[in-house]
Amino acid sequence: QVQLVESGGGLVQPGGSLRLSCAASGSIFSINAMGWYRQGPGKERELVATITSGGGTNYADSVKDRFTISRDNAKNTVYLQMNSLKPEDTAVYYCNAAIRTGYSWPNTYWGQGTQVTVSS
């Protein structure tokens, strides 16, 4: 069994910063790509950022130069540093990871989500 647990969400004023964390636990053999997605009110879930096991990153245009994704492979944890937050960043943020639990193809796992609200 594999679990992804997010933390770090909350209420912040426009221009502020937050750091999200997502820790994977359970019967993990290896973790390939990890990422963050978000779903705003009345919107579909969208990609925010991804990071490969080797550290290669990819960002949505809307968050480039403001958000930074990183990971600690020893801790099976991915982070999202969010700076210069805007009201339109308000959403539930979900962690995602491609995890192998043995000598097989990786499966995709999701966290439960953490609320980020940007408001004055």
Side-chain angles (χ1 to χ4, degrees), residues 2-6 20-24 31-38 45-53 69-71 76-80 92-100 106-114:
V2 172
Q3 282 190 319
L4 298 181
V5 178
E6 299 117 333
L20 305 183
S21 299
C22 172
I31 303 178
N32 294 357
M34 305 183 82
W36 290 94
Y37 291 71
R38 67 185 181 186
R45 191 173 297 189
E46 63 177 1
L47 171 72
V48 176
T50 60
I51 185 167
T52 67
S53 57
I69 189 170
S70 61
R71 63 191 283 175
N76 292 334
T77 298
V78 63
Y79 306 96
L80 186 68
V92 178
Y93 283 71
Y94 296 91
C95 169
N96 163 286
I99 297 175
R100 296 175 65 193
N107 290 317
T108 298
Y109 295 87
W110 291 89
Q112 81 285 356
T114 185

Side-chain angles (χ1 to χ4, degrees), residues 17-33:
S17 298
L18 280 176
R19 188 190 194 211
L20 305 183
S21 299
C22 172
S25 63
S27 302
I28 297 170
F29 181 74
S30 65
I31 303 178
N32 294 357

Side-chain angles (χ1 to χ4, degrees), residues 36-40 43-48 60 62-63 66-67 82 85-86 88-94 110:
W36 290 94
Y37 291 71
R38 67 185 181 186
Q39 187 166 14
K43 298 180 180 180
E44 295 187 351
R45 191 173 297 189
E46 63 177 1
L47 171 72
V48 176
S62 59
V63 307
R66 298 190 299 122
F67 290 11
M82 304 185 293
L85 282 160
K86 305 175 181 179
E88 51 263 44
D89 294 318
T90 295
V92 178
Y93 283 71
Y94 296 91
W110 291 89

